[in-house]
Amino acid sequence: MDIKKKLKKKAYVVKDKCVACGTCVKVCPRGAIKIIEGVFAEVDENKCIGCTICAKECPASIIEMVAKKEVVVDVK
Amino acid sequence: MSNKRKKKWNDYLYFVSILYLILGVFNILFAWLGLLCFSIPLIISLSGGGKLYCNNYCGRGQLLYLLGKKFNLSRNKPMPNFMKSKYFRYGFLSFFMIMFGNMLFNTYLVFSGINSLNEVVTLLWTFKLPWGWVNTSFVPPGVAQFAFGFYSVMLTSTILGLVTMVLYKPRSWCIYCPMGTMTHGISTIKYNNKIKNI
């Protein structure tokens, strides 16, 4: 088996700039985002599939896609 | 990949936002109902509910999203950085509150009989639209004056929301919405106090 290690991108919210409007929560297909006490949004990295929908929808454009998790991909 | 989340009753609150603006055309006194949009978010955030109102029950946010996303009316471009800054958000909140105070003072002048009822809706704090087709004589003039003032505030903010929805992303209004800024400020203070006490 020919395997390759690849970094998977996950959504990351820049907390100090987030106004907690909740747009990302509504559009996330995996329910991976939560608003913490009405202050900022937080992404559950285990649930995030890196689809970028939240990053595109965020009105403040403060959700970044960050290479977070190393995944093993079978390239056979 | 589509969002298959089952719709709930509160996903249709954009209808309330539209209805509010329509009712105001038929009878300006319905504008008083807009006080709910002011009081509910504040009560929720003061009682520790954070931005639950913005996240789940804001009809205007839903309306802007519907028009921008489903009706494709938004350019979907990022907002300029200055509009996202704290200075702009709190500056806009201050300006909004000053104009709101000015409206309350005008209402007071009519209540106390110093001024007579002015049947106009003021758009963008400047343009005066004659709105005198409704009989408001069955209520004190001050009550009617507040309705005209409040409807002006609601219509003006809707227009600003629509303009930024078209120019930037659908819910751009949510970034500088004065109610959102207030509830976010309250939630932040509460959150910071909570962290300090741990």
Side-chain angles (χ1 to χ4, degrees):
Chain A
M1 191 169 73
D2 189 10
I3 56 165
K4 190 175 146 188
K5 280 187 175 173
K6 194 178 159 188
L7 283 173
K8 189 156 174 61
K9 288 194 168 182
K10 302 273 176 181
Y12 171 76
V13 179
V14 183
K15 287 176 185 168
D16 342 337
K17 291 182 182 172
C18 179
V19 297
C21 66
T23 308
C24 52
V25 177
K26 287 210 166 163
V27 298
C28 178
R30 288 297 176 103
I33 312 179
K34 267 200 304 195
I35 299 289
I36 309 295
E37 314 243 346
V39 184
F40 53 82
E42 199 171 68
V43 182
D44 181 341
E45 279 178 26
N46 296 319
K47 287 185 182 171
C48 177
I49 51 167
C51 67
T52 76
I53 293 178
C54 57
K56 283 175 194 152
E57 297 291 339
C58 173
S61 315
I62 50 124
I63 302 183
E64 294 165 4
M65 299 309 293
V66 181
K68 277 269 167 107
K69 205 173 177 182
E70 209 171 51
V71 287
V72 178
V73 189
D74 185 356
V75 289
K76 193 167 56 177
Chain B
M1 201 167 353
S2 65
N3 190 1
K4 299 278 186 206
R5 195 173 61 92
K6 205 177 166 193
K7 291 218 170 193
K8 286 184 283 182
W9 66 271
N10 58 325
D11 288 317
Y12 299 96
L13 287 171
Y14 58 87
F15 182 71
V16 175
S17 249
I18 299 168
L19 189 69
Y20 176 81
L21 294 174
I22 294 171
L23 285 176
V25 174
F26 286 105
N27 195 323
I28 194 73
L29 295 174
F30 282 111
W32 274 84
L33 291 173
L35 275 180
L36 292 173
C37 302
F38 269 48
S39 51
I40 295 172
L42 286 177
I43 292 168
I44 290 177
S45 75
L46 285 170
S47 54
K51 290 188 76 172
L52 194 73
Y53 182 86
C54 298
N55 302 159
N56 293 311
Y57 306 111
C58 178
R60 178 172 301 171
Q62 289 177 10
L63 177 66
L64 293 172
Y65 190 74
L66 184 82
L67 294 173
K69 192 73 188 170
K70 310 276 182 225
F71 287 81
N72 240 340
L73 295 174
S74 175
R75 292 195 316 150
N76 266 309
K77 300 281 180 202
M79 285 174 91
N81 281 335
F82 84 90
M83 282 184 87
K84 296 187 279 190
S85 70
K86 269 189 183 157
Y87 298 106
F88 181 80
R89 289 193 286 119
Y90 281 94
F92 184 71
L93 169 65
S94 312
F95 171 72
F96 199 85
M97 293 315 284
I98 290 167
M99 298 317 272
F100 192 74
N102 184 38
M103 183 273 279
L104 290 180
F105 184 66
N106 282 337
T107 304
Y108 160 75
L109 291 179
V110 175
F111 250 118
S112 54
I114 299 167
N115 282 354
S116 56
L117 177 65
N118 193 11
E119 291 184 317
V120 291
V121 164
T122 314
L123 267 193
L124 300 164
W125 306 281
T126 317
F127 308 105
K128 297 198 182 303
L129 307 179
W131 213 269
W133 56 79
V134 184
N135 177 21
T136 54
S137 59
F138 55 93
V139 291
V143 172
Q145 190 62 63
F146 180 80
F148 280 108
F150 207 87
Y151 193 73
S152 304
V153 169
M154 295 298 273
L155 200 59
T156 298
S157 50
T158 306
I159 289 171
L160 287 176
L162 289 172
V163 170
T164 47
M165 177 273 289
V166 172
L167 290 177
Y168 310 117
K169 294 203 179 177
R171 285 188 71 157
S172 296
W173 166 254
C174 300
I175 302 298
Y176 65 98
C177 164
M179 289 316 299
T181 307
M182 268 196 273
T183 51
H184 189 245
I186 294 166
S187 305
T188 308
I189 292 168
K190 277 182 173 281
Y191 181 72
N192 289 342
N193 285 341
K194 204 173 165 182
I195 285 180
K196 254 187 231 163
N197 294 334
I198 290 174

Short mmCIF file of all heavy atoms in Angstrom, two decimals, chain A residues 10-70:
data_model
loop_
_atom_site.label_atom_id
_atom_site.label_comp_id
_atom_site.label_asym_id
_atom_site.label_seq_id
_atom_site.Cartn_x
_atom_site.Cartn_y
_atom_site.Cartn_z
N LYS A 10 -9.07 22.72 8.52
CA LYS A 10 -10.23 22.85 9.41
C LYS A 10 -10.54 24.33 9.55
O LYS A 10 -9.66 25.18 9.44
CB LYS A 10 -9.88 22.31 10.80
CG LYS A 10 -9.44 20.86 10.81
CD LYS A 10 -10.61 19.95 10.91
CE LYS A 10 -10.20 18.49 10.82
NZ LYS A 10 -11.31 17.59 10.90
N ALA A 11 -11.80 24.62 9.82
CA ALA A 11 -12.20 26.02 10.01
C ALA A 11 -11.69 26.52 11.35
O ALA A 11 -11.68 25.78 12.34
CB ALA A 11 -13.71 26.13 9.95
N TYR A 12 -11.23 27.76 11.36
CA TYR A 12 -10.74 28.37 12.60
C TYR A 12 -11.31 29.78 12.70
O TYR A 12 -11.19 30.57 11.77
CB TYR A 12 -9.20 28.38 12.60
CG TYR A 12 -8.62 29.17 13.73
CD1 TYR A 12 -8.61 28.65 15.03
CD2 TYR A 12 -8.13 30.46 13.53
CE1 TYR A 12 -8.10 29.39 16.09
CE2 TYR A 12 -7.61 31.21 14.59
CZ TYR A 12 -7.60 30.66 15.86
OH TYR A 12 -7.11 31.40 16.90
N VAL A 13 -11.94 30.07 13.83
CA VAL A 13 -12.55 31.41 14.01
C VAL A 13 -11.59 32.31 14.77
O VAL A 13 -11.08 31.95 15.83
CB VAL A 13 -13.88 31.29 14.81
CG1 VAL A 13 -14.50 32.66 15.03
CG2 VAL A 13 -14.85 30.36 14.12
N VAL A 14 -11.32 33.49 14.20
CA VAL A 14 -10.49 34.48 14.89
C VAL A 14 -11.39 35.11 15.96
O VAL A 14 -12.24 35.95 15.67
CB VAL A 14 -9.96 35.56 13.90
CG1 VAL A 14 -9.05 36.54 14.62
CG2 VAL A 14 -9.22 34.90 12.76
N LYS A 15 -11.18 34.65 17.21
CA LYS A 15 -12.15 34.96 18.27
C LYS A 15 -12.32 36.45 18.56
O LYS A 15 -13.44 36.91 18.79
CB LYS A 15 -11.78 34.21 19.54
CG LYS A 15 -12.08 32.73 19.42
CD LYS A 15 -11.62 31.96 20.62
CE LYS A 15 -11.85 30.47 20.37
NZ LYS A 15 -11.18 29.64 21.34
N ASP A 16 -11.23 37.21 18.58
CA ASP A 16 -11.38 38.64 18.97
C ASP A 16 -12.16 39.42 17.93
O ASP A 16 -12.64 40.52 18.22
CB ASP A 16 -10.05 39.38 19.17
CG ASP A 16 -8.86 38.53 19.34
OD1 ASP A 16 -9.06 37.39 19.76
OD2 ASP A 16 -7.75 39.02 19.09
N LYS A 17 -12.24 38.91 16.72
CA LYS A 17 -12.96 39.67 15.70
C LYS A 17 -14.38 39.17 15.50
O LYS A 17 -15.16 39.79 14.78
CB LYS A 17 -12.19 39.59 14.37
CG LYS A 17 -10.88 40.36 14.42
CD LYS A 17 -10.20 40.29 13.08
CE LYS A 17 -8.86 41.03 13.12
NZ LYS A 17 -8.10 40.80 11.88
N CYS A 18 -14.72 38.04 16.12
CA CYS A 18 -16.05 37.45 15.93
C CYS A 18 -17.10 38.22 16.72
O CYS A 18 -16.87 38.59 17.87
CB CYS A 18 -16.01 35.99 16.40
SG CYS A 18 -17.59 35.15 16.26
N VAL A 19 -18.24 38.50 16.08
CA VAL A 19 -19.33 39.19 16.79
C VAL A 19 -20.44 38.21 17.20
O VAL A 19 -21.48 38.63 17.68
CB VAL A 19 -19.93 40.36 15.97
CG1 VAL A 19 -18.91 41.44 15.70
CG2 VAL A 19 -20.57 39.89 14.69
N ALA A 20 -20.21 36.95 16.99
CA ALA A 20 -21.15 35.89 17.40
C ALA A 20 -22.55 36.06 16.80
O ALA A 20 -23.55 35.87 17.48
CB ALA A 20 -21.24 35.83 18.93
N CYS A 21 -22.58 36.39 15.51
CA CYS A 21 -23.89 36.60 14.86
C CYS A 21 -24.61 35.28 14.60
O CYS A 21 -25.82 35.26 14.44
CB CYS A 21 -23.73 37.38 13.55
SG CYS A 21 -22.82 36.48 12.28
N GLY A 22 -23.86 34.20 14.52
CA GLY A 22 -24.47 32.87 14.39
C GLY A 22 -24.71 32.42 12.96
O GLY A 22 -25.29 31.36 12.75
N THR A 23 -24.22 33.18 11.97
CA THR A 23 -24.42 32.78 10.57
C THR A 23 -23.74 31.44 10.30
O THR A 23 -24.32 30.55 9.67
CB THR A 23 -23.85 33.86 9.62
OG1 THR A 23 -24.40 35.12 10.00
CG2 THR A 23 -24.19 33.58 8.17
N CYS A 24 -22.52 31.29 10.82
CA CYS A 24 -21.75 30.05 10.58
C CYS A 24 -22.44 28.84 11.19
O CYS A 24 -22.43 27.75 10.60
CB CYS A 24 -20.34 30.20 11.15
SG CYS A 24 -20.31 30.74 12.87
N VAL A 25 -23.05 29.04 12.36
CA VAL A 25 -23.72 27.93 13.04
C VAL A 25 -24.85 27.39 12.16
O VAL A 25 -25.03 26.19 12.01
CB VAL A 25 -24.30 28.40 14.40
CG1 VAL A 25 -25.04 27.29 15.09
CG2 VAL A 25 -23.18 28.93 15.29
N LYS A 26 -25.58 28.33 11.54
CA LYS A 26 -26.72 27.93 10.71
C LYS A 26 -26.32 27.21 9.44
O LYS A 26 -27.05 26.35 8.96
CB LYS A 26 -27.56 29.16 10.36
CG LYS A 26 -28.33 29.64 11.57
CD LYS A 26 -29.62 30.29 11.19
CE LYS A 26 -30.47 30.43 12.43
NZ LYS A 26 -31.54 31.36 12.28
N VAL A 27 -25.16 27.59 8.87
CA VAL A 27 -24.81 27.00 7.57
C VAL A 27 -23.97 25.74 7.68
O VAL A 27 -23.83 25.00 6.70
CB VAL A 27 -24.10 28.01 6.64
CG1 VAL A 27 -25.00 29.19 6.32
CG2 VAL A 27 -22.78 28.49 7.22
N CYS A 28 -23.41 25.48 8.84
CA CYS A 28 -22.53 24.31 8.98
C CYS A 28 -23.32 23.01 8.80
O CYS A 28 -24.25 22.74 9.55
CB CYS A 28 -21.85 24.31 10.35
SG CYS A 28 -20.81 22.85 10.59
N PRO A 29 -22.95 22.20 7.80
CA PRO A 29 -23.72 20.98 7.53
C PRO A 29 -23.50 19.90 8.59
O PRO A 29 -24.25 18.94 8.66
CB PRO A 29 -23.21 20.52 6.17
CG PRO A 29 -21.87 21.12 6.03
CD PRO A 29 -21.85 22.39 6.83
N ARG A 30 -22.45 20.04 9.40
CA ARG A 30 -22.14 19.01 10.40
C ARG A 30 -22.46 19.45 11.83
O ARG A 30 -22.16 18.73 12.77
CB ARG A 30 -20.65 18.64 10.32
CG ARG A 30 -20.30 17.83 9.10
CD ARG A 30 -21.03 16.49 9.13
NE ARG A 30 -20.80 15.72 7.93
CZ ARG A 30 -19.97 14.70 7.86
NH1 ARG A 30 -19.26 14.36 8.89
NH2 ARG A 30 -19.84 14.04 6.73
N GLY A 31 -23.01 20.66 11.99
CA GLY A 31 -23.30 21.16 13.33
C GLY A 31 -22.03 21.24 14.17
O GLY A 31 -22.04 20.96 15.37
N ALA A 32 -20.93 21.65 13.52
CA ALA A 32 -19.63 21.64 14.21
C ALA A 32 -19.32 22.96 14.92
O ALA A 32 -18.30 23.07 15.59
CB ALA A 32 -18.53 21.32 13.21
N ILE A 33 -20.19 23.96 14.73
CA ILE A 33 -19.86 25.27 15.31
C ILE A 33 -20.86 25.62 16.41
O ILE A 33 -22.06 25.38 16.28
CB ILE A 33 -19.84 26.37 14.22
CG1 ILE A 33 -19.02 25.90 13.01
CG2 ILE A 33 -19.27 27.67 14.78
CD1 ILE A 33 -18.95 26.87 11.88
N LYS A 34 -20.31 26.18 17.49
CA LYS A 34 -21.15 26.60 18.61
C LYS A 34 -20.80 28.03 18.97
O LYS A 34 -19.66 28.45 18.80
CB LYS A 34 -20.85 25.72 19.83
CG LYS A 34 -21.75 24.52 19.96
CD LYS A 34 -21.77 23.95 21.36
CE LYS A 34 -20.40 23.56 21.89
NZ LYS A 34 -20.39 22.72 23.06
N ILE A 35 -21.80 28.78 19.44
CA ILE A 35 -21.52 30.13 19.93
C ILE A 35 -21.27 30.00 21.43
O ILE A 35 -22.11 29.44 22.15
CB ILE A 35 -22.70 31.09 19.67
CG1 ILE A 35 -22.99 31.21 18.17
CG2 ILE A 35 -22.45 32.46 20.29
CD1 ILE A 35 -21.99 31.97 17.36
N ILE A 36 -20.14 30.50 21.89
CA ILE A 36 -19.80 30.38 23.31
C ILE A 36 -20.26 31.65 24.04
O ILE A 36 -19.69 32.73 23.82
CB ILE A 36 -18.28 30.15 23.50
CG1 ILE A 36 -17.80 28.98 22.63
CG2 ILE A 36 -17.94 29.94 24.97
CD1 ILE A 36 -18.38 27.61 22.96
N GLU A 37 -21.26 31.51 24.86
CA GLU A 37 -21.78 32.58 25.73
C GLU A 37 -22.07 33.90 25.00
O GLU A 37 -21.95 34.96 25.59
CB GLU A 37 -20.79 32.85 26.88
CG GLU A 37 -20.28 31.59 27.53
CD GLU A 37 -20.65 31.47 28.99
OE1 GLU A 37 -21.07 32.46 29.58
OE2 GLU A 37 -20.54 30.34 29.50
N GLY A 38 -22.39 33.81 23.72
CA GLY A 38 -22.72 35.03 22.96
C GLY A 38 -21.51 35.90 22.67
O GLY A 38 -21.65 37.08 22.37
N VAL A 39 -20.30 35.34 22.77
CA VAL A 39 -19.10 36.16 22.59
C VAL A 39 -18.34 35.81 21.30
O VAL A 39 -17.92 36.69 20.56
CB VAL A 39 -18.15 36.04 23.81
CG1 VAL A 39 -16.95 36.96 23.67
CG2 VAL A 39 -18.90 36.37 25.09
N PHE A 40 -18.18 34.52 21.04
CA PHE A 40 -17.48 34.12 19.81
C PHE A 40 -17.95 32.72 19.40
O PHE A 40 -18.55 31.99 20.19
CB PHE A 40 -15.96 34.13 20.00
CG PHE A 40 -15.49 33.32 21.18
CD1 PHE A 40 -15.33 31.95 21.10
CD2 PHE A 40 -15.23 33.95 22.40
CE1 PHE A 40 -14.91 31.21 22.19
CE2 PHE A 40 -14.82 33.21 23.51
CZ PHE A 40 -14.66 31.84 23.40
N ALA A 41 -17.64 32.39 18.14
CA ALA A 41 -17.99 31.06 17.64
C ALA A 41 -16.78 30.15 17.81
O ALA A 41 -15.64 30.60 17.73
CB ALA A 41 -18.38 31.15 16.17
N GLU A 42 -17.05 28.89 18.05
CA GLU A 42 -15.96 27.94 18.22
C GLU A 42 -16.24 26.71 17.37
O GLU A 42 -17.37 26.20 17.36
CB GLU A 42 -15.84 27.56 19.69
CG GLU A 42 -14.50 26.95 20.04
CD GLU A 42 -14.35 26.79 21.55
OE1 GLU A 42 -15.07 25.95 22.13
OE2 GLU A 42 -13.53 27.50 22.13
N VAL A 43 -15.19 26.24 16.68
CA VAL A 43 -15.36 25.09 15.79
C VAL A 43 -14.88 23.81 16.49
O VAL A 43 -13.79 23.80 17.07
CB VAL A 43 -14.55 25.29 14.49
CG1 VAL A 43 -14.75 24.11 13.54
CG2 VAL A 43 -14.94 26.59 13.81
N ASP A 44 -15.69 22.78 16.44
CA ASP A 44 -15.28 21.48 16.97
C ASP A 44 -14.47 20.79 15.87
O ASP A 44 -15.01 20.37 14.85
CB ASP A 44 -16.53 20.66 17.33
CG ASP A 44 -16.19 19.31 17.92
OD1 ASP A 44 -15.05 18.84 17.72
OD2 ASP A 44 -17.07 18.71 18.57
N GLU A 45 -13.16 20.73 16.11
CA GLU A 45 -12.27 20.19 15.07
C GLU A 45 -12.58 18.74 14.71
O GLU A 45 -12.30 18.30 13.59
CB GLU A 45 -10.82 20.27 15.55
CG GLU A 45 -10.23 21.63 15.35
CD GLU A 45 -8.82 21.70 15.88
OE1 GLU A 45 -8.14 20.66 15.94
OE2 GLU A 45 -8.40 22.81 16.24
N ASN A 46 -13.14 18.01 15.65
CA ASN A 46 -13.43 16.61 15.36
C ASN A 46 -14.62 16.47 14.42
O ASN A 46 -14.74 15.48 13.70
CB ASN A 46 -13.72 15.86 16.66
CG ASN A 46 -12.49 15.83 17.54
OD1 ASN A 46 -11.38 15.65 17.04
ND2 ASN A 46 -12.69 16.06 18.82
N LYS A 47 -15.50 17.48 14.46
CA LYS A 47 -16.68 17.40 13.59
C LYS A 47 -16.45 18.11 12.25
O LYS A 47 -17.11 17.80 11.26
CB LYS A 47 -17.89 18.04 14.29
CG LYS A 47 -18.45 17.20 15.42
CD LYS A 47 -19.71 17.87 15.94
CE LYS A 47 -20.32 17.13 17.12
NZ LYS A 47 -21.40 17.91 17.72
N CYS A 48 -15.55 19.10 12.23
CA CYS A 48 -15.34 19.90 11.02
C CYS A 48 -14.77 19.04 9.89
O CYS A 48 -13.82 18.29 10.09
CB CYS A 48 -14.40 21.07 11.33
SG CYS A 48 -14.01 22.08 9.90
N ILE A 49 -15.38 19.19 8.71
CA ILE A 49 -14.90 18.41 7.57
C ILE A 49 -14.16 19.31 6.56
O ILE A 49 -13.80 18.89 5.47
CB ILE A 49 -16.05 17.66 6.87
CG1 ILE A 49 -17.21 18.62 6.55
CG2 ILE A 49 -16.52 16.49 7.71
CD1 ILE A 49 -18.24 18.06 5.60
N GLY A 50 -13.98 20.57 6.94
CA GLY A 50 -13.21 21.50 6.10
C GLY A 50 -13.90 21.86 4.80
O GLY A 50 -13.25 22.11 3.79
N CYS A 51 -15.24 21.95 4.84
CA CYS A 51 -15.98 22.21 3.60
C CYS A 51 -15.91 23.67 3.15
O CYS A 51 -16.30 23.99 2.04
CB CYS A 51 -17.43 21.79 3.76
SG CYS A 51 -18.34 22.79 4.95
N THR A 52 -15.49 24.57 4.03
CA THR A 52 -15.33 26.02 3.79
C THR A 52 -16.64 26.81 3.67
O THR A 52 -16.60 28.01 3.38
CB THR A 52 -14.44 26.35 2.55
OG1 THR A 52 -15.20 26.10 1.36
CG2 THR A 52 -13.16 25.56 2.51
N ILE A 53 -17.77 26.17 3.88
CA ILE A 53 -19.05 26.91 3.73
C ILE A 53 -19.10 28.05 4.74
O ILE A 53 -19.43 29.19 4.39
CB ILE A 53 -20.27 25.96 3.92
CG1 ILE A 53 -20.34 24.96 2.77
CG2 ILE A 53 -21.58 26.76 3.99
CD1 ILE A 53 -21.46 23.95 2.87
N CYS A 54 -18.73 27.78 6.00
CA CYS A 54 -18.80 28.81 7.04
C CYS A 54 -17.87 29.98 6.70
O CYS A 54 -18.23 31.14 6.89
CB CYS A 54 -18.45 28.24 8.40
SG CYS A 54 -16.83 27.46 8.47
N ALA A 55 -16.67 29.67 6.17
CA ALA A 55 -15.72 30.73 5.84
C ALA A 55 -16.28 31.64 4.75
O ALA A 55 -16.08 32.86 4.78
CB ALA A 55 -14.40 30.12 5.39
N LYS A 56 -17.02 31.03 3.82
CA LYS A 56 -17.60 31.82 2.72
C LYS A 56 -18.76 32.66 3.22
O LYS A 56 -19.01 33.76 2.73
CB LYS A 56 -18.08 30.90 1.60
CG LYS A 56 -16.94 30.38 0.75
CD LYS A 56 -17.46 29.37 -0.26
CE LYS A 56 -16.31 28.60 -0.89
NZ LYS A 56 -16.71 27.28 -1.33
N GLU A 57 -19.53 32.13 4.18
CA GLU A 57 -20.73 32.82 4.64
C GLU A 57 -20.49 33.86 5.72
O GLU A 57 -21.30 34.76 5.90
CB GLU A 57 -21.75 31.80 5.17
CG GLU A 57 -22.26 30.82 4.13
CD GLU A 57 -23.14 31.46 3.08
OE1 GLU A 57 -23.69 32.53 3.34
OE2 GLU A 57 -23.26 30.87 2.00
N CYS A 58 -19.41 33.73 6.47
CA CYS A 58 -19.16 34.64 7.61
C CYS A 58 -19.17 36.09 7.12
O CYS A 58 -18.37 36.48 6.29
CB CYS A 58 -17.81 34.33 8.25
SG CYS A 58 -17.36 35.54 9.51
N PRO A 59 -20.10 36.93 7.63
CA PRO A 59 -20.19 38.31 7.14
C PRO A 59 -18.94 39.13 7.46
O PRO A 59 -18.65 40.10 6.77
CB PRO A 59 -21.42 38.88 7.83
CG PRO A 59 -21.75 37.95 8.93
CD PRO A 59 -21.15 36.63 8.62
N ALA A 60 -18.21 38.73 8.50
CA ALA A 60 -17.00 39.48 8.83
C ALA A 60 -15.76 38.86 8.17
O ALA A 60 -14.66 39.39 8.31
CB ALA A 60 -16.82 39.51 10.34
N SER A 61 -15.95 37.77 7.45
CA SER A 61 -14.86 37.04 6.78
C SER A 61 -13.70 36.77 7.74
O SER A 61 -12.53 37.01 7.41
CB SER A 61 -14.34 37.81 5.57
OG SER A 61 -15.39 38.30 4.79
N ILE A 62 -14.01 36.26 8.93
CA ILE A 62 -12.93 36.02 9.90
C ILE A 62 -12.74 34.53 10.18
O ILE A 62 -12.03 34.17 11.10
CB ILE A 62 -13.18 36.79 11.22
CG1 ILE A 62 -14.60 36.53 11.73
CG2 ILE A 62 -12.94 38.27 11.06
CD1 ILE A 62 -14.64 35.99 13.09
N ILE A 63 -13.37 33.68 9.35
CA ILE A 63 -13.13 32.25 9.53
C ILE A 63 -12.07 31.83 8.52
O ILE A 63 -12.22 32.06 7.32
CB ILE A 63 -14.42 31.41 9.36
CG1 ILE A 63 -15.47 31.87 10.38
CG2 ILE A 63 -14.11 29.92 9.53
CD1 ILE A 63 -16.76 31.07 10.37
N GLU A 64 -10.98 31.31 9.06
CA GLU A 64 -9.87 30.91 8.19
C GLU A 64 -9.82 29.39 8.12
O GLU A 64 -10.20 28.71 9.06
CB GLU A 64 -8.55 31.42 8.78
CG GLU A 64 -8.45 32.93 8.78
CD GLU A 64 -7.32 33.44 9.67
OE1 GLU A 64 -6.57 32.63 10.23
OE2 GLU A 64 -7.22 34.68 9.79
N MET A 65 -9.32 28.89 6.99
CA MET A 65 -9.14 27.45 6.88
C MET A 65 -7.67 27.17 7.19
O MET A 65 -6.78 27.65 6.49
CB MET A 65 -9.50 26.96 5.47
CG MET A 65 -10.95 27.23 5.06
SD MET A 65 -12.19 26.69 6.25
CE MET A 65 -11.99 24.91 6.18
N VAL A 66 -7.46 26.45 8.26
CA VAL A 66 -6.10 26.22 8.73
C VAL A 66 -5.77 24.73 8.64
O VAL A 66 -6.59 23.89 9.03
CB VAL A 66 -5.95 26.70 10.19
CG1 VAL A 66 -4.54 26.48 10.70
CG2 VAL A 66 -6.34 28.16 10.31
N ALA A 67 -4.59 24.43 8.11
CA ALA A 67 -4.17 23.03 8.04
C ALA A 67 -3.92 22.55 9.46
O ALA A 67 -3.04 23.06 10.15
CB ALA A 67 -2.90 22.93 7.21
N LYS A 68 -4.73 21.62 9.92
CA LYS A 68 -4.67 21.23 11.33
C LYS A 68 -4.30 19.77 11.55
O LYS A 68 -3.45 19.45 12.32
CB LYS A 68 -6.05 21.47 11.95
CG LYS A 68 -6.27 22.90 12.38
CD LYS A 68 -5.83 23.08 13.81
CE LYS A 68 -5.73 24.55 14.18
NZ LYS A 68 -6.77 24.98 15.04
N LYS A 69 -5.00 18.91 10.86
CA LYS A 69 -4.90 17.51 11.22
C LYS A 69 -4.18 16.73 10.13
O LYS A 69 -4.50 16.85 8.96
CB LYS A 69 -6.34 16.98 11.40
CG LYS A 69 -6.41 15.78 12.30
CD LYS A 69 -7.88 15.48 12.52
CE LYS A 69 -8.04 14.23 13.35
NZ LYS A 69 -9.46 13.91 13.51
N GLU A 70 -3.26 15.92 10.56
CA GLU A 70 -2.53 15.10 9.60
C GLU A 70 -3.35 13.83 9.34
O GLU A 70 -3.73 13.13 10.26
CB GLU A 70 -1.18 14.73 10.19
CG GLU A 70 -0.13 14.53 9.16
CD GLU A 70 1.24 14.39 9.79
OE1 GLU A 70 1.38 13.59 10.70
OE2 GLU A 70 2.14 15.12 9.35
#
